[in-house]
Amino acid sequence: AKCSPIKLGAGQGVTVMNRFDGKVALVTGAAQGIGRAVCAQFKTEGARVVAVDRSPLVHEMAGESMLTLTADLERHEDC
């Protein structure tokens, strides 16, 4: 398995396994807070991420290995 260092500051680092290489993670509530942090961590660990939120802020994260979608998942008829 591949390993990559994560910089914590002042020369410190932690080795994280790329345990999500070749995997896709679906994260809801992804535009802000915990959801946004979860997306970032999945991407750091090698996952391709589908980030979904009802807020258009989610599109700020669009890029390589990150697909962003707006949807209100509380209302399934709108999806």
Side-chain angles (χ1 to χ4, degrees), residues 37-57:
V38 168
C39 287
Q41 189 62 38
F42 271 130
K43 191 172 174 186
T44 297
E45 294 192 35
R48 291 180 293 166
V49 180
V50 179
V52 183
D53 199 288
R54 68 177 115 186
S55 169
L57 291 172

Side-chain angles (χ1 to χ4, degrees), residues 20-31:
F20 298 112
D21 277 350
K23 306 287 184 188
V24 177
L26 173 64
V27 181
T28 60

Side-chain angles (χ1 to χ4, degrees), residues 5-69:
I6 294 176
K7 298 293 183 190
L8 298 176
Q12 298 176 347
V14 175
T15 301
V16 175
M17 301 293 286
N18 284 339
R19 61 184 166 165
F20 298 112
D21 277 350
K23 306 287 184 188
V24 177
L26 173 64
V27 181
T28 60
Q32 301 176 51
I34 294 170
R36 191 175 189 110
V38 168
C39 287
Q41 189 62 38
F42 271 130
K43 191 172 174 186
T44 297
E45 294 192 35
R48 291 180 293 166
V49 180
V50 179
V52 183
D53 199 288
R54 68 177 115 186
S55 169
L57 291 172
V58 74
H59 298 298
E60 294 175 357
M61 302 184 322
E64 186 178 332
S65 300
M66 180 86 65
L67 172 66
T68 59
L69 302 170

